[in-house]
Amino acid sequence: MIAERKDDHVRYAAEQQRRPGGHNQFDEVSFVHHALAGIDRSDVSLTTRFGGIEWRAPLYINAMTGGSERTGAINRDLAIAARETGVPIATGSMSAYFADASVADTFGVMRRENPDGFVMANINANASAEQARRAVGLLRADALQIHLNVVQETVMPEGDRSFSGWAPRIEEIVGAVDVPVIVKEVGFGLSRQTIDLLRELGVSVADVAGRGGTDFARIENDRRRDADYGYLAGWGQSAPACLLDAQGAGIPLLASGGVRHPLDVARALALGASAAGVSGGFLRTVLDGGVSALVARITTWLDHLAALMTALGARTPSDLTRCDVLLHGDLRAFCADRGIDTGRPATRSSTYDITHETVGGIR
């Protein structure tokens, strides 16, 4: 039953990705072009550091799948691509492993194929502290993701219906494992209030995982006989909205959900993310073109991201937070409603000491 559900998720997610892409709120973030901002490519480093973690690049393959023969093969290919490109990777939810230990290798393959890489285990907020330790141990994981998916569970025919224990369970897991804990949504976004609570619970990093990528409300509705939750399609906040909402939250942020190309990665970093994650787009690539296609795509993205940083005058990913950005449309309206200053990002390069460096286009 669980294996069938995991295969359904992959099938419906891939179908969403193969439909023509449209506008999302990353399109409502634009950089102010400063024509003399450019620096030397040799001065650009993609290394990102946050929450006691260091990654070679601010890009990661986010949680997708596992728990069936087919999804185990997908995880193998994703792990090989991560190994060849040096980007971090997360497994999908390991609930299937807790229910049936015989599927362990559909997750463990990620470590076997990527023995020296940064691998994140993924569990749900109902998991026990002991299950969290098992997940970390199986993968020799470098970090543990806990996903929050109330809306998905609500629409899922066989989903959970009790959520009040999630916060205390997260706090328990944080105290039970010896690796950083990253809490993520599954595509509906994390509000400022949620991120503040996660910080209080001891969580190391929050992945805002916003609206705009794979829509799990649609996936679960497609799995329902009556498909009667269609009105929930598009629920939640986008990754750019979440990043703006969480400014100054005092916890490192990651951004996923609707990241389509290197410019979206740069936009996410400019809004305060330490790295950007991709699931659906990379899934489509590996299903349609295999490992070689995904390796080529990730390699190209990293090359283009470095090129964009060179043009913007950002020596490191964190330097992108000094670049001037404009906010438009519904994203700007969201900020107004939430009391977020939309003017400061447009002129923030002038607030830094730039006597000896180029940032945001002013020397």
Side-chain angles (χ1 to χ4, degrees):
M1 182 66 175
I2 294 178
E4 181 181 349
R5 183 171 79 239
K6 298 301 182 182
D7 288 344
D8 283 347
H9 287 171
V10 167
R11 177 163 56 89
Y12 287 122
E15 287 176 4
Q16 284 188 22
Q17 290 296 320
R18 292 188 180 110
R19 295 169 188 164
H23 172 94
N24 74 31
Q25 284 194 330
F26 277 110
D27 293 319
E28 297 176 2
V29 180
S30 61
F31 287 95
V32 176
H33 175 59
H34 297 299
L36 291 176
I39 57 175
D40 295 339
R41 179 70 170 266
S42 60
D43 290 333
V44 171
S45 170
L46 293 180
T47 299
T48 185
R49 300 175 180 86
F50 58 96
I53 295 169
E54 180 176 300
W55 289 348
R56 288 169 49 187
L59 179 69
Y60 57 102
I61 301 173
N62 214 349
M64 292 192 218
T65 195
S68 70
E69 182 178 356
R70 183 189 183 209
T71 59
I74 293 170
N75 277 346
R76 179 199 62 220
D77 290 349
L78 293 171
I80 293 170
R83 182 190 71 210
E84 294 302 306
T85 58
V87 299
I89 188 170
T91 73
S93 172
M94 297 177 70
S95 57
Y97 164 60
F98 301 143
D100 180 3
S102 70
V103 303
D105 194 58
T106 68
F107 300 99
V109 66
M110 279 199 169
R111 178 55 78 189
R112 188 171 68 251
E113 294 293 346
N114 190 16
D116 301 316
F118 193 102
V119 176
M120 294 172 273
N122 181 293
I123 62 175
N124 65 33
N126 276 333
S128 67
E130 176 57 30
Q131 288 172 328
R133 286 190 290 262
R134 284 176 59 198
V136 171
L138 176 67
L139 292 167
R140 290 180 283 117
D142 300 286
L144 176 68
Q145 283 186 339
I146 302 175
H147 65 266
L148 307 180
N149 64 334
V150 169
V151 176
Q152 180 189 6
E153 295 286 352
T154 297
V155 183
M156 186 189 302
E158 64 275 62
D160 294 328
R161 298 295 183 264
S162 299
F163 310 114
S164 61
W166 281 13
R169 185 59 60 86
I170 290 170
E171 187 172 32
E172 181 183 357
I173 291 171
V174 168
V177 299
D178 58 0
V179 296
V181 173
I182 301 168
V183 172
K184 69 181 295 292
E185 242 289 349
V186 300
F188 305 102
L190 296 178
S191 67
R192 172 59 182 264
Q193 289 88 332
T194 303
I195 292 170
D196 286 343
L197 177 57
L198 292 175
R199 186 190 65 246
E200 293 171 6
L201 296 174
V203 171
S204 301
V205 181
D207 181 343
V208 299
R211 182 191 73 227
T214 303
D215 188 332
F216 272 97
R218 284 175 53 192
I219 286 176
E220 299 300 351
N221 195 52
D222 287 342
R223 296 181 61 244
R224 296 180 69 89
R225 183 177 59 188
D226 298 326
D228 50 352
Y229 275 96
Y231 56 82
L232 287 182
W235 181 278
Q237 296 89 251
S238 70
C242 293
L243 292 171
L244 289 160
D245 200 30
Q247 291 178 97
I251 184 173
L253 302 175
L254 303 176
S256 58
V259 176
R260 303 157 298 179
H261 43 61
L263 179 56
D264 285 344
V265 177
R267 288 163 165 161
L269 299 175
L271 294 181
S274 295
V278 181
S279 295
F282 287 171
L283 173 65
R284 182 197 66 205
T285 299
V286 81
L287 289 179
D288 292 350
V291 174
S292 60
L294 183 55
V295 169
R297 188 177 187 191
I298 293 173
T299 300
T300 298
W301 276 39
L302 296 178
D303 179 64
H304 285 200
L305 178 60
L308 291 171
M309 290 170 60
T310 302
L312 289 164
R315 289 179 169 83
T316 68
S318 63
D319 279 348
L320 286 166
T321 62
R322 305 181 182 187
C323 294
D324 299 327
V325 293
L326 303 175
L327 308 176
H328 312 279
D330 289 341
L331 181 60
R332 189 178 181 89
F334 169 87
C335 290
D337 289 344
R338 294 286 284 176
I340 300 165
D341 182 0
T342 58
R344 183 178 178 277
T347 59
R348 59 190 177 182
S349 65
S350 62
T351 66
Y352 290 90
D353 179 3
I354 50 177
T355 304
H356 301 294
E357 62 180 345
T358 300
V359 176
I362 304 173
R363 190 182 300 273

PDB file of all heavy atoms in Angstrom, residues 224-259:
ATOM      1  N   ARG A 224      -7.710  10.657  -5.012  1.00  0.00           N
ATOM      2  CA  ARG A 224      -9.011  10.454  -4.384  1.00  0.00           C
ATOM      3  C   ARG A 224     -10.053  10.033  -5.421  1.00  0.00           C
ATOM      4  O   ARG A 224     -10.037  10.525  -6.553  1.00  0.00           O
ATOM      5  CB  ARG A 224      -9.497  11.740  -3.691  1.00  0.00           C
ATOM      6  CG  ARG A 224      -8.622  12.193  -2.545  1.00  0.00           C
ATOM      7  CD  ARG A 224      -9.175  13.461  -1.913  1.00  0.00           C
ATOM      8  NE  ARG A 224     -10.414  13.197  -1.203  1.00  0.00           N
ATOM      9  CZ  ARG A 224     -10.486  12.833   0.081  1.00  0.00           C
ATOM     10  NH1 ARG A 224      -9.376  12.681   0.788  1.00  0.00           N
ATOM     11  NH2 ARG A 224     -11.658  12.620   0.647  1.00  0.00           N
ATOM     12  N   ARG A 225     -10.943   9.163  -5.033  1.00  0.00           N
ATOM     13  CA  ARG A 225     -11.973   8.676  -5.965  1.00  0.00           C
ATOM     14  C   ARG A 225     -12.860   9.812  -6.455  1.00  0.00           C
ATOM     15  O   ARG A 225     -13.216   9.881  -7.636  1.00  0.00           O
ATOM     16  CB  ARG A 225     -12.820   7.610  -5.277  1.00  0.00           C
ATOM     17  CG  ARG A 225     -13.881   6.991  -6.188  1.00  0.00           C
ATOM     18  CD  ARG A 225     -14.634   5.886  -5.467  1.00  0.00           C
ATOM     19  NE  ARG A 225     -15.296   6.401  -4.268  1.00  0.00           N
ATOM     20  CZ  ARG A 225     -15.906   5.637  -3.364  1.00  0.00           C
ATOM     21  NH1 ARG A 225     -15.903   4.320  -3.512  1.00  0.00           N
ATOM     22  NH2 ARG A 225     -16.498   6.175  -2.305  1.00  0.00           N
ATOM     23  N   ASP A 226     -13.230  10.725  -5.549  1.00  0.00           N
ATOM     24  CA  ASP A 226     -14.136  11.812  -5.924  1.00  0.00           C
ATOM     25  C   ASP A 226     -13.422  13.108  -6.279  1.00  0.00           C
ATOM     26  O   ASP A 226     -14.064  14.041  -6.769  1.00  0.00           O
ATOM     27  CB  ASP A 226     -15.116  12.094  -4.773  1.00  0.00           C
ATOM     28  CG  ASP A 226     -15.993  10.891  -4.470  1.00  0.00           C
ATOM     29  OD1 ASP A 226     -16.335  10.171  -5.423  1.00  0.00           O
ATOM     30  OD2 ASP A 226     -16.308  10.674  -3.283  1.00  0.00           O
ATOM     31  N   ALA A 227     -12.114  13.180  -6.023  1.00  0.00           N
ATOM     32  CA  ALA A 227     -11.326  14.385  -6.334  1.00  0.00           C
ATOM     33  C   ALA A 227     -12.036  15.647  -5.855  1.00  0.00           C
ATOM     34  O   ALA A 227     -12.182  16.623  -6.599  1.00  0.00           O
ATOM     35  CB  ALA A 227     -11.022  14.458  -7.826  1.00  0.00           C
ATOM     36  N   ASP A 228     -12.486  15.629  -4.587  1.00  0.00           N
ATOM     37  CA  ASP A 228     -13.339  16.702  -4.104  1.00  0.00           C
ATOM     38  C   ASP A 228     -12.601  17.811  -3.366  1.00  0.00           C
ATOM     39  O   ASP A 228     -13.216  18.722  -2.828  1.00  0.00           O
ATOM     40  CB  ASP A 228     -14.444  16.134  -3.209  1.00  0.00           C
ATOM     41  CG  ASP A 228     -13.914  15.192  -2.134  1.00  0.00           C
ATOM     42  OD1 ASP A 228     -12.717  14.853  -2.175  1.00  0.00           O
ATOM     43  OD2 ASP A 228     -14.708  14.781  -1.265  1.00  0.00           O
ATOM     44  N   TYR A 229     -11.255  17.747  -3.330  1.00  0.00           N
ATOM     45  CA  TYR A 229     -10.468  18.808  -2.702  1.00  0.00           C
ATOM     46  C   TYR A 229      -9.771  19.691  -3.746  1.00  0.00           C
ATOM     47  O   TYR A 229      -8.776  20.333  -3.450  1.00  0.00           O
ATOM     48  CB  TYR A 229      -9.410  18.214  -1.777  1.00  0.00           C
ATOM     49  CG  TYR A 229      -9.888  17.890  -0.372  1.00  0.00           C
ATOM     50  CD1 TYR A 229     -10.298  16.608  -0.044  1.00  0.00           C
ATOM     51  CD2 TYR A 229      -9.904  18.870   0.616  1.00  0.00           C
ATOM     52  CE1 TYR A 229     -10.725  16.302   1.245  1.00  0.00           C
ATOM     53  CE2 TYR A 229     -10.327  18.577   1.909  1.00  0.00           C
ATOM     54  CZ  TYR A 229     -10.730  17.289   2.213  1.00  0.00           C
ATOM     55  OH  TYR A 229     -11.152  16.994   3.489  1.00  0.00           O
ATOM     56  N   GLY A 230     -10.295  19.734  -4.936  1.00  0.00           N
ATOM     57  CA  GLY A 230      -9.645  20.499  -5.991  1.00  0.00           C
ATOM     58  C   GLY A 230      -9.487  21.967  -5.676  1.00  0.00           C
ATOM     59  O   GLY A 230      -8.575  22.634  -6.171  1.00  0.00           O
ATOM     60  N   TYR A 231     -10.360  22.501  -4.824  1.00  0.00           N
ATOM     61  CA  TYR A 231     -10.309  23.919  -4.486  1.00  0.00           C
ATOM     62  C   TYR A 231      -9.091  24.292  -3.659  1.00  0.00           C
ATOM     63  O   TYR A 231      -8.803  25.474  -3.467  1.00  0.00           O
ATOM     64  CB  TYR A 231     -11.581  24.339  -3.735  1.00  0.00           C
ATOM     65  CG  TYR A 231     -11.868  23.528  -2.491  1.00  0.00           C
ATOM     66  CD1 TYR A 231     -11.253  23.810  -1.284  1.00  0.00           C
ATOM     67  CD2 TYR A 231     -12.774  22.468  -2.545  1.00  0.00           C
ATOM     68  CE1 TYR A 231     -11.520  23.066  -0.153  1.00  0.00           C
ATOM     69  CE2 TYR A 231     -13.051  21.705  -1.421  1.00  0.00           C
ATOM     70  CZ  TYR A 231     -12.424  22.007  -0.227  1.00  0.00           C
ATOM     71  OH  TYR A 231     -12.691  21.264   0.889  1.00  0.00           O
ATOM     72  N   LEU A 232      -8.318  23.306  -3.165  1.00  0.00           N
ATOM     73  CA  LEU A 232      -7.116  23.603  -2.386  1.00  0.00           C
ATOM     74  C   LEU A 232      -5.862  23.756  -3.242  1.00  0.00           C
ATOM     75  O   LEU A 232      -4.791  24.075  -2.722  1.00  0.00           O
ATOM     76  CB  LEU A 232      -6.876  22.508  -1.337  1.00  0.00           C
ATOM     77  CG  LEU A 232      -7.824  22.488  -0.144  1.00  0.00           C
ATOM     78  CD1 LEU A 232      -7.437  21.379   0.817  1.00  0.00           C
ATOM     79  CD2 LEU A 232      -7.816  23.835   0.575  1.00  0.00           C
ATOM     80  N   ALA A 233      -5.974  23.530  -4.537  1.00  0.00           N
ATOM     81  CA  ALA A 233      -4.822  23.726  -5.408  1.00  0.00           C
ATOM     82  C   ALA A 233      -4.317  25.160  -5.273  1.00  0.00           C
ATOM     83  O   ALA A 233      -5.097  26.114  -5.313  1.00  0.00           O
ATOM     84  CB  ALA A 233      -5.194  23.433  -6.857  1.00  0.00           C
ATOM     85  N   GLY A 234      -3.025  25.331  -5.080  1.00  0.00           N
ATOM     86  CA  GLY A 234      -2.443  26.658  -4.931  1.00  0.00           C
ATOM     87  C   GLY A 234      -2.444  27.182  -3.516  1.00  0.00           C
ATOM     88  O   GLY A 234      -2.109  28.352  -3.280  1.00  0.00           O
ATOM     89  N   TRP A 235      -2.767  26.349  -2.535  1.00  0.00           N
ATOM     90  CA  TRP A 235      -2.776  26.761  -1.118  1.00  0.00           C
ATOM     91  C   TRP A 235      -1.380  27.171  -0.668  1.00  0.00           C
ATOM     92  O   TRP A 235      -0.385  26.585  -1.086  1.00  0.00           O
ATOM     93  CB  TRP A 235      -3.274  25.598  -0.279  1.00  0.00           C
ATOM     94  CG  TRP A 235      -3.364  25.861   1.203  1.00  0.00           C
ATOM     95  CD1 TRP A 235      -2.338  25.794   2.100  1.00  0.00           C
ATOM     96  CD2 TRP A 235      -4.529  26.228   1.931  1.00  0.00           C
ATOM     97  NE1 TRP A 235      -2.798  26.093   3.358  1.00  0.00           N
ATOM     98  CE2 TRP A 235      -4.146  26.366   3.292  1.00  0.00           C
ATOM     99  CE3 TRP A 235      -5.860  26.449   1.588  1.00  0.00           C
ATOM    100  CZ2 TRP A 235      -5.045  26.717   4.291  1.00  0.00           C
ATOM    101  CZ3 TRP A 235      -6.753  26.794   2.585  1.00  0.00           C
ATOM    102  CH2 TRP A 235      -6.344  26.926   3.918  1.00  0.00           C
ATOM    103  N   GLY A 236      -1.311  28.161   0.202  1.00  0.00           N
ATOM    104  CA  GLY A 236      -0.067  28.482   0.891  1.00  0.00           C
ATOM    105  C   GLY A 236       0.657  29.690   0.343  1.00  0.00           C
ATOM    106  O   GLY A 236       0.134  30.448  -0.476  1.00  0.00           O
ATOM    107  N   GLN A 237       1.881  29.888   0.845  1.00  0.00           N
ATOM    108  CA  GLN A 237       2.726  31.011   0.451  1.00  0.00           C
ATOM    109  C   GLN A 237       3.892  30.511  -0.406  1.00  0.00           C
ATOM    110  O   GLN A 237       4.392  29.408  -0.214  1.00  0.00           O
ATOM    111  CB  GLN A 237       3.297  31.735   1.677  1.00  0.00           C
ATOM    112  CG  GLN A 237       2.272  32.397   2.559  1.00  0.00           C
ATOM    113  CD  GLN A 237       1.760  31.447   3.630  1.00  0.00           C
ATOM    114  OE1 GLN A 237       0.626  31.004   3.580  1.00  0.00           O
ATOM    115  NE2 GLN A 237       2.596  31.124   4.611  1.00  0.00           N
ATOM    116  N   SER A 238       4.334  31.367  -1.301  1.00  0.00           N
ATOM    117  CA  SER A 238       5.488  31.039  -2.138  1.00  0.00           C
ATOM    118  C   SER A 238       6.782  31.136  -1.340  1.00  0.00           C
ATOM    119  O   SER A 238       6.821  31.750  -0.263  1.00  0.00           O
ATOM    120  CB  SER A 238       5.559  32.009  -3.321  1.00  0.00           C
ATOM    121  OG  SER A 238       5.916  33.313  -2.858  1.00  0.00           O
ATOM    122  N   ALA A 239       7.843  30.548  -1.886  1.00  0.00           N
ATOM    123  CA  ALA A 239       9.155  30.658  -1.240  1.00  0.00           C
ATOM    124  C   ALA A 239       9.607  32.106  -1.103  1.00  0.00           C
ATOM    125  O   ALA A 239      10.077  32.507  -0.032  1.00  0.00           O
ATOM    126  CB  ALA A 239      10.193  29.825  -1.994  1.00  0.00           C
ATOM    127  N   PRO A 240       9.489  32.959  -2.154  1.00  0.00           N
ATOM    128  CA  PRO A 240       9.879  34.362  -1.969  1.00  0.00           C
ATOM    129  C   PRO A 240       9.075  35.054  -0.874  1.00  0.00           C
ATOM    130  O   PRO A 240       9.634  35.816  -0.073  1.00  0.00           O
ATOM    131  CB  PRO A 240       9.605  34.989  -3.345  1.00  0.00           C
ATOM    132  CG  PRO A 240       9.736  33.857  -4.306  1.00  0.00           C
ATOM    133  CD  PRO A 240       9.181  32.672  -3.574  1.00  0.00           C
ATOM    134  N   ALA A 241       7.781  34.788  -0.803  1.00  0.00           N
ATOM    135  CA  ALA A 241       6.960  35.401   0.249  1.00  0.00           C
ATOM    136  C   ALA A 241       7.424  34.947   1.621  1.00  0.00           C
ATOM    137  O   ALA A 241       7.530  35.755   2.558  1.00  0.00           O
ATOM    138  CB  ALA A 241       5.490  35.047   0.035  1.00  0.00           C
ATOM    139  N   CYS A 242       7.715  33.666   1.767  1.00  0.00           N
ATOM    140  CA  CYS A 242       8.166  33.146   3.059  1.00  0.00           C
ATOM    141  C   CYS A 242       9.502  33.750   3.465  1.00  0.00           C
ATOM    142  O   CYS A 242       9.713  34.091   4.639  1.00  0.00           O
ATOM    143  CB  CYS A 242       8.291  31.629   2.999  1.00  0.00           C
ATOM    144  SG  CYS A 242       6.724  30.759   2.806  1.00  0.00           S
ATOM    145  N   LEU A 243      10.425  33.877   2.525  1.00  0.00           N
ATOM    146  CA  LEU A 243      11.733  34.442   2.841  1.00  0.00           C
ATOM    147  C   LEU A 243      11.596  35.890   3.300  1.00  0.00           C
ATOM    148  O   LEU A 243      12.258  36.315   4.261  1.00  0.00           O
ATOM    149  CB  LEU A 243      12.649  34.354   1.617  1.00  0.00           C
ATOM    150  CG  LEU A 243      13.081  32.947   1.207  1.00  0.00           C
ATOM    151  CD1 LEU A 243      13.791  32.989  -0.146  1.00  0.00           C
ATOM    152  CD2 LEU A 243      13.990  32.316   2.250  1.00  0.00           C
ATOM    153  N   LEU A 244      10.763  36.656   2.637  1.00  0.00           N
ATOM    154  CA  LEU A 244      10.554  38.046   3.030  1.00  0.00           C
ATOM    155  C   LEU A 244       9.854  38.131   4.385  1.00  0.00           C
ATOM    156  O   LEU A 244      10.187  38.975   5.214  1.00  0.00           O
ATOM    157  CB  LEU A 244       9.737  38.767   1.962  1.00  0.00           C
ATOM    158  CG  LEU A 244      10.492  39.031   0.651  1.00  0.00           C
ATOM    159  CD1 LEU A 244       9.525  39.278  -0.490  1.00  0.00           C
ATOM    160  CD2 LEU A 244      11.459  40.197   0.815  1.00  0.00           C
ATOM    161  N   ASP A 245       8.911  37.237   4.621  1.00  0.00           N
ATOM    162  CA  ASP A 245       8.170  37.206   5.879  1.00  0.00           C
ATOM    163  C   ASP A 245       9.089  36.873   7.051  1.00  0.00           C
ATOM    164  O   ASP A 245       8.867  37.321   8.177  1.00  0.00           O
ATOM    165  CB  ASP A 245       7.068  36.154   5.772  1.00  0.00           C
ATOM    166  CG  ASP A 245       5.947  36.328   6.784  1.00  0.00           C
ATOM    167  OD1 ASP A 245       5.675  37.478   7.183  1.00  0.00           O
ATOM    168  OD2 ASP A 245       5.339  35.318   7.171  1.00  0.00           O
ATOM    169  N   ALA A 246      10.137  36.089   6.783  1.00  0.00           N
ATOM    170  CA  ALA A 246      10.994  35.567   7.854  1.00  0.00           C
ATOM    171  C   ALA A 246      12.250  36.394   8.086  1.00  0.00           C
ATOM    172  O   ALA A 246      13.125  35.970   8.838  1.00  0.00           O
ATOM    173  CB  ALA A 246      11.385  34.131   7.531  1.00  0.00           C
ATOM    174  N   GLN A 247      12.377  37.559   7.471  1.00  0.00           N
ATOM    175  CA  GLN A 247      13.575  38.371   7.640  1.00  0.00           C
ATOM    176  C   GLN A 247      13.844  38.624   9.126  1.00  0.00           C
ATOM    177  O   GLN A 247      12.947  38.998   9.871  1.00  0.00           O
ATOM    178  CB  GLN A 247      13.403  39.705   6.918  1.00  0.00           C
ATOM    179  CG  GLN A 247      13.394  39.586   5.397  1.00  0.00           C
ATOM    180  CD  GLN A 247      13.178  40.934   4.738  1.00  0.00           C
ATOM    181  OE1 GLN A 247      14.138  41.591   4.333  1.00  0.00           O
ATOM    182  NE2 GLN A 247      11.931  41.350   4.616  1.00  0.00           N
ATOM    183  N   GLY A 248      15.108  38.374   9.520  1.00  0.00           N
ATOM    184  CA  GLY A 248      15.501  38.611  10.900  1.00  0.00           C
ATOM    185  C   GLY A 248      14.981  37.584  11.884  1.00  0.00           C
ATOM    186  O   GLY A 248      14.967  37.832  13.094  1.00  0.00           O
ATOM    187  N   ALA A 249      14.583  36.416  11.395  1.00  0.00           N
ATOM    188  CA  ALA A 249      14.003  35.403  12.272  1.00  0.00           C
ATOM    189  C   ALA A 249      15.039  34.736  13.172  1.00  0.00           C
ATOM    190  O   ALA A 249      14.676  34.037  14.116  1.00  0.00           O
ATOM    191  CB  ALA A 249      13.275  34.344  11.446  1.00  0.00           C
ATOM    192  N   GLY A 250      16.310  34.899  12.872  1.00  0.00           N
ATOM    193  CA  GLY A 250      17.340  34.354  13.743  1.00  0.00           C
ATOM    194  C   GLY A 250      17.613  32.882  13.551  1.00  0.00           C
ATOM    195  O   GLY A 250      18.168  32.219  14.434  1.00  0.00           O
ATOM    196  N   ILE A 251      17.242  32.330  12.404  1.00  0.00           N
ATOM    197  CA  ILE A 251      17.515  30.936  12.073  1.00  0.00           C
ATOM    198  C   ILE A 251      17.867  30.878  10.594  1.00  0.00           C
ATOM    199  O   ILE A 251      17.249  31.574   9.781  1.00  0.00           O
ATOM    200  CB  ILE A 251      16.290  30.053  12.395  1.00  0.00           C
ATOM    201  CG1 ILE A 251      16.581  28.577  12.141  1.00  0.00           C
ATOM    202  CG2 ILE A 251      15.066  30.492  11.625  1.00  0.00           C
ATOM    203  CD1 ILE A 251      15.444  27.656  12.604  1.00  0.00           C
ATOM    204  N   PRO A 252      18.865  30.100  10.192  1.00  0.00           N
ATOM    205  CA  PRO A 252      19.193  30.001   8.763  1.00  0.00           C
ATOM    206  C   PRO A 252      18.011  29.447   7.972  1.00  0.00           C
ATOM    207  O   PRO A 252      17.281  28.569   8.439  1.00  0.00           O
ATOM    208  CB  PRO A 252      20.379  29.036   8.739  1.00  0.00           C
ATOM    209  CG  PRO A 252      20.960  29.092  10.111  1.00  0.00           C
ATOM    210  CD  PRO A 252      19.809  29.331  11.030  1.00  0.00           C
ATOM    211  N   LEU A 253      17.864  29.960   6.752  1.00  0.00           N
ATOM    212  CA  LEU A 253      16.754  29.558   5.894  1.00  0.00           C
ATOM    213  C   LEU A 253      17.258  28.920   4.612  1.00  0.00           C
ATOM    214  O   LEU A 253      18.269  29.348   4.040  1.00  0.00           O
ATOM    215  CB  LEU A 253      15.904  30.775   5.537  1.00  0.00           C
ATOM    216  CG  LEU A 253      15.297  31.562   6.695  1.00  0.00           C
ATOM    217  CD1 LEU A 253      14.591  32.803   6.165  1.00  0.00           C
ATOM    218  CD2 LEU A 253      14.331  30.699   7.496  1.00  0.00           C
ATOM    219  N   LEU A 254      16.533  27.913   4.163  1.00  0.00           N
ATOM    220  CA  LEU A 254      16.716  27.338   2.839  1.00  0.00           C
ATOM    221  C   LEU A 254      15.439  27.615   2.055  1.00  0.00           C
ATOM    222  O   LEU A 254      14.372  27.833   2.639  1.00  0.00           O
ATOM    223  CB  LEU A 254      16.966  25.832   2.925  1.00  0.00           C
ATOM    224  CG  LEU A 254      18.155  25.389   3.775  1.00  0.00           C
ATOM    225  CD1 LEU A 254      18.222  23.861   3.847  1.00  0.00           C
ATOM    226  CD2 LEU A 254      19.459  25.963   3.229  1.00  0.00           C
ATOM    227  N   ALA A 255      15.544  27.598   0.729  1.00  0.00           N
ATOM    228  CA  ALA A 255      14.386  27.902  -0.104  1.00  0.00           C
ATOM    229  C   ALA A 255      14.186  26.820  -1.145  1.00  0.00           C
ATOM    230  O   ALA A 255      15.121  26.465  -1.875  1.00  0.00           O
ATOM    231  CB  ALA A 255      14.563  29.255  -0.793  1.00  0.00           C
ATOM    232  N   SER A 256      12.986  26.297  -1.205  1.00  0.00           N
ATOM    233  CA  SER A 256      12.604  25.375  -2.269  1.00  0.00           C
ATOM    234  C   SER A 256      11.141  25.623  -2.593  1.00  0.00           C
ATOM    235  O   SER A 256      10.446  26.351  -1.892  1.00  0.00           O
ATOM    236  CB  SER A 256      12.839  23.920  -1.833  1.00  0.00           C
ATOM    237  OG  SER A 256      12.115  23.614  -0.656  1.00  0.00           O
ATOM    238  N   GLY A 257      10.687  25.013  -3.684  1.00  0.00           N
ATOM    239  CA  GLY A 257       9.326  25.229  -4.130  1.00  0.00           C
ATOM    240  C   GLY A 257       9.278  26.207  -5.285  1.00  0.00           C
ATOM    241  O   GLY A 257       9.309  27.420  -5.074  1.00  0.00           O
ATOM    242  N   GLY A 258       9.256  25.697  -6.494  1.00  0.00           N
ATOM    243  CA  GLY A 258       9.148  26.565  -7.664  1.00  0.00           C
ATOM    244  C   GLY A 258      10.459  27.089  -8.198  1.00  0.00           C
ATOM    245  O   GLY A 258      10.458  28.022  -9.011  1.00  0.00           O
ATOM    246  N   VAL A 259      11.583  26.513  -7.784  1.00  0.00           N
ATOM    247  CA  VAL A 259      12.897  26.936  -8.303  1.00  0.00           C
ATOM    248  C   VAL A 259      13.081  26.274  -9.668  1.00  0.00           C
ATOM    249  O   VAL A 259      13.206  25.056  -9.778  1.00  0.00           O
ATOM    250  CB  VAL A 259      14.029  26.528  -7.339  1.00  0.00           C
ATOM    251  CG1 VAL A 259      15.388  26.887  -7.920  1.00  0.00           C
ATOM    252  CG2 VAL A 259      13.821  27.198  -5.976  1.00  0.00           C
TER     253      VAL A 259
END
